[in-house]
C-alpha cells in the first residue's frame, strides 16, 4: 500500500493507495475514529462495490450503516442532502460519528457537505471509486452541491480524515467514465508536470486496459500534485486556482447541456478552449495546442461540440464562483505544457470566438 500525506497542520491527513479494501480497518485505527460509521454510496456503486467494502469493514471489526442515494449529477442537490440528514437523525449520531463516501465525485461532494454541516461538523472519509474522484475531487476538501442549475455553488472547504483509493474499482467503471476521469489526469500534467503529461500520453492504452501498476502510479502522481497545491493554498486564495484549468468554460458547458455530458468530457472541451485562448493571446504556440488536443482525441474525449450555443455558454460563465467583478477568470498555459497562470479577461469577442471554435 502506498501512503502520501496532505500537510495542513491540524487538518492534515493521509492518502492511501491500494489494490483492494483489505487495509481499510488499519486506516480507521490510525485515524482514531471510534464513533458510529455511515457509508454513503449511490445506486450504481452499490451494485459493484458496496458489498466488498462493507465486508472489509466487518472483517476489521467495524459495523457500518449504509445509505444509498440516486446516482447522477442531477441528484447532487439540497433535496438529496435533506434525505441524508433525515437518515442520520434516525441513527441518533453524535459528533464522534463518521460519514464515508464510497463513490465518484458526486457522492464525495454531497457526503462531505453533509458531514461539514450535520451537527456543525462530523468526521468524513473519502473512498473514491472513479478515476475522476481518485485523481482530483477526493483530495483537497472542496465539498458541496449544485443549486438552481449552477454547479457547486453551495459548499464548504472541509477536509477528510483520510482518503482510501482502491485502483481496482476502476475495472467496474463504464469505459466512458474512465475516459472522462482521464481529463483531470491530463489537466494535472498540463498545469504542473510536462513529464507526467508525456507519461499519460504514452500509456493511454494501458490506462484504458486497467494496468494495475500504471493506475497506481497515476493515482500517486495525481494526488501528489493536488496535495502540493492544496498545502500552499487550501481555500483557493491564489495558487489553487490553477486546478481550474479547463473548468471555466467546462463548467458552463456542463450546466448549459443540463449535465448530459460527463464532467470530464466538459473539462476536455474547456481545456481545448483554454489552449486556444492562450494561442490567441500569444502565450503558447500552436504545436502545444495540438499536442493537448491530440492526447484528448487519443483518449476518446470530446474536443468539439456540434451545435454549441455560444451565447448561453458565455452567459453561464458569469455564474462561476471565481468571477472577479465583471471579468471572467481563466487558467491559461504559458510558454509550455507544465506551466500555467491565472488571467482575468473581459474581451467578450475573444471569449466568444474561442467558445465558437469548439463547435467547428
Amino acid at each position: 500500500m502506498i501512503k502520501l500525506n496532505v500537510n495542513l497542520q491540524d487538518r492534515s491527513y493521509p492518502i492511501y493507495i491500494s489494490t483492494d479494501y483489505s487495509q481499510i480497518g488499519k486506516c480507521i485505527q490510525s485515524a482514531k475514529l471510534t464513533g458510529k460509521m455511515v457509508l454513503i454510496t449511490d445506486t450504481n456503486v452499490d451494485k459493484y462495490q458496496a458489498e466488498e467494502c462493507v465486508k472489509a469493514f466487518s472483517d476489521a471489526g467495524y459495523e457500518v450503516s449504509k445509505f444509498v442515494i440516486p446516482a447522477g449529477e442531477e441528484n447532487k442537490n439540497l433535496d438529496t442532502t435533506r434525505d441524508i440528514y433525515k437518515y442520520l437523525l434516525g441513527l441518533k449520531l453524535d459528533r464522534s460519528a463518521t460519514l464515508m463516501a464510497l463513490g465518484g465525485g458526486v457522492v464525495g461532494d454531497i457526503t462531505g457537505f453533509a458531514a461539514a454541516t450535520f451537527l456543525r461538523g462530523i468526521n468524513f472519509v473519502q473512498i473514491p471509486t472513479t478515476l475522476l474522484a481518485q485523481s482530483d475531487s477526493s483530495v483537497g476538501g472542496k465539498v458541496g452541491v449544485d443549486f438552481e442549475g449552477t454547479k457547486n455553488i453551495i459548499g464548504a472547504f472541509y477536509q477528510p480524515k483520510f482518503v482510501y483509493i482502491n485502483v481496482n474499482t476502476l475495472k467496474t467503471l463504464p469505459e466512458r467514465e474512465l475516459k472522462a476521469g482521464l481529463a483531470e489526469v491530463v489537466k494535472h500534467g498540463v498545469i504542473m508536470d510536462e513529464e507526467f503529461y508525456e507519461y499519460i500520453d504514452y500509456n493511454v492504452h494501458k490506462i484504458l486496459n486497467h494496468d494495475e501498476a500504471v493506475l497506481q502510479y497515476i493515482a500517486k502522481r495525481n494526488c501528489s500534485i493536488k496535495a502540493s497545491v492544496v498545502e500552499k493554498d487550501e481555500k483557493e486564495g491564489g495558487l489553487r486556482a490553477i486546478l481550474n484549468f479547463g473548468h471555466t468554460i467546462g463548467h458552463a458547458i456542463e450546466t448549459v447541456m443540463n449535465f448530459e455530458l460527463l464532467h470530464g468530457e466538459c473539462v476536455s472541451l474547456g481545456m481545448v478552449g483554454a489552449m486556444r485562448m492562450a494561442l490567441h493571446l500569444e502565450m503558447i504556440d500552436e504545436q502545444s495546442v495540438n499536442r493537448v488536443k491530440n492526447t484528448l482525441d487519443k483518449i476518446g474525449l470530446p474536443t468539439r461540440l456540434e451545435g454549441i450555443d455560444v451565447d448561453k455558454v458565455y452567459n453561464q460563465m458569469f455564474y462561476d464562483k471565481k468571477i472577479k467583478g465583471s471579468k471572467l477568470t481563466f487558467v491559461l498555459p504559458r510558454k509550455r505544457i507544465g506551466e500555467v497562470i491565472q488571467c482575468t479577461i473581459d474581451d467578450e469577442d475573444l471569449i466568444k470566438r474561442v467558445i465558437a471554435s469548439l463547435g467547428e
Side-chain angles (χ1 to χ4, degrees):
M1 185 166 64
I2 299 167
K3 181 183 177 184
L4 307 170
N5 286 300
V6 182
N7 298 308
L8 294 169
Q9 299 176 335
D10 61 333
R11 296 175 310 288
S12 298
Y13 56 93
I15 302 167
Y16 302 101
I17 302 169
S18 183
T19 56
D20 56 32
Y21 291 120
S22 63
Q23 302 297 308
I24 203 160
K26 292 179 180 178
C27 300
I28 294 170
Q29 291 172 7
S30 295
K32 298 179 181 177
L33 302 177
T34 58
K36 289 183 178 180
M37 297 181 185
V38 182
L39 190 75
I40 309 291
T41 191
D42 68 23
T43 47
N44 286 341
V45 179
D46 189 44
K47 295 175 190 174
Y48 301 107
Q49 295 295 326
E51 184 178 351
E52 183 184 351
C53 189
V54 169
K55 183 178 184 302
F57 283 115
S58 178
D59 290 347
Y62 294 97
E63 184 179 342
V64 179
S65 303
K66 183 180 74 171
F67 186 72
V68 182
I69 64 174
E73 181 79 32
E74 66 274 15
N75 297 300
K76 196 177 83 173
N77 54 42
L78 292 175
D79 290 333
T80 305
T81 308
R82 185 182 295 110
D83 292 339
I84 294 172
Y85 290 153
K86 287 179 180 177
Y87 180 74
L88 300 182
L89 279 172
L91 295 177
K92 297 182 171 62
L93 303 183
D94 61 28
R95 284 185 177 170
S96 69
T98 301
L99 296 192
M100 300 195 170
L102 178 71
V106 169
V107 172
D109 281 358
I110 198 168
T111 302
F113 180 68
T117 49
F118 191 75
L119 297 176
R120 294 198 174 97
I122 59 177
N123 299 316
F124 166 47
V125 168
Q126 286 271 25
I127 312 173
T129 61
T130 66
L131 184 56
L132 178 63
Q134 291 179 2
S135 62
D136 188 66
S137 62
S138 66
V139 178
K142 285 171 74 170
V143 300
V145 295
D146 307 334
F147 183 70
E148 297 293 318
T150 299
K151 188 174 171 69
N152 295 332
I153 200 69
I154 297 175
F157 290 94
Y158 196 67
Q159 302 297 342
K161 292 300 180 183
F162 65 86
V163 179
Y164 190 97
I165 296 171
N166 169 8
V167 297
N168 277 324
T169 60
L170 303 182
K171 291 179 179 178
T172 66
L173 278 186
E175 187 177 78
R176 183 186 174 192
E177 286 197 25
L178 186 64
K179 290 177 176 179
L182 264 176
E184 296 284 2
V185 177
V186 171
K187 177 196 78 175
H188 284 142
V190 174
I191 66 174
M192 285 192 74
D193 191 338
E194 185 172 17
E195 185 178 330
F196 181 50
Y197 166 80
E198 290 171 349
Y199 178 88
I200 300 158
D201 184 70
Y202 183 77
N203 285 288
V204 166
H205 182 72
K206 287 186 176 180
I207 296 166
L208 296 179
N209 282 280
H210 309 103
D211 184 294
E212 204 171 87
V214 172
L215 292 176
Q216 282 187 290
Y217 177 77
I218 281 177
K220 179 182 177 182
R221 191 71 199 104
N222 270 296
C223 291
S224 295
I225 291 171
K226 183 78 180 275
S228 70
V229 173
V230 171
E231 287 167 358
K232 296 181 182 74
D233 180 19
E234 182 183 359
K235 296 190 175 180
E236 212 169 56
L239 176 67
R240 186 167 178 173
I242 71 172
L243 295 169
N244 294 313
F245 174 65
H247 284 60
T248 304
I249 295 175
H251 273 170
I253 291 173
E254 192 172 4
T255 300
V256 167
M257 294 294 293
N258 199 28
F259 304 107
E260 291 175 15
L261 292 177
L262 298 177
H263 175 70
E265 293 171 337
C266 296
V267 170
S268 175
L269 291 161
M271 287 192 287
V272 174
M275 296 297 292
R276 288 176 178 165
M277 187 171 293
L279 179 63
H280 280 298
L281 296 170
E282 300 181 349
M283 296 169 60
I284 200 162
D285 59 37
E286 190 167 2
Q287 182 183 2
S288 297
V289 178
N290 290 334
R291 278 179 71 194
V292 172
K293 180 180 179 297
N294 289 343
T295 298
L296 297 170
D297 284 333
K298 185 191 295 187
I299 293 167
L301 285 164
T303 55
R304 66 182 298 275
L305 182 61
E306 189 173 343
I308 190 168
D309 191 320
V310 175
D311 289 332
K312 278 189 177 180
V313 172
Y314 177 77
N315 292 329
Q316 181 61 40
M317 288 161 71
F318 286 91
Y319 291 93
D320 193 281
K321 301 181 294 301
K322 300 169 286 297
I323 192 171
K324 296 183 178 180
S326 61
K327 296 182 179 181
L328 293 168
T329 302
F330 295 88
V331 176
L332 302 178
R334 180 174 63 175
K335 298 178 183 177
R336 62 182 184 85
I337 290 173
E339 182 180 344
V340 292
I341 58 170
Q342 188 177 15
C343 309
T344 53
I345 298 175
D346 59 359
D347 186 338
E348 180 178 342
D349 181 62
L350 170 61
I351 297 169
K352 286 187 173 181
R353 269 190 291 144
V354 167
I355 297 169
S357 77
L358 296 173
E360 295 170 356

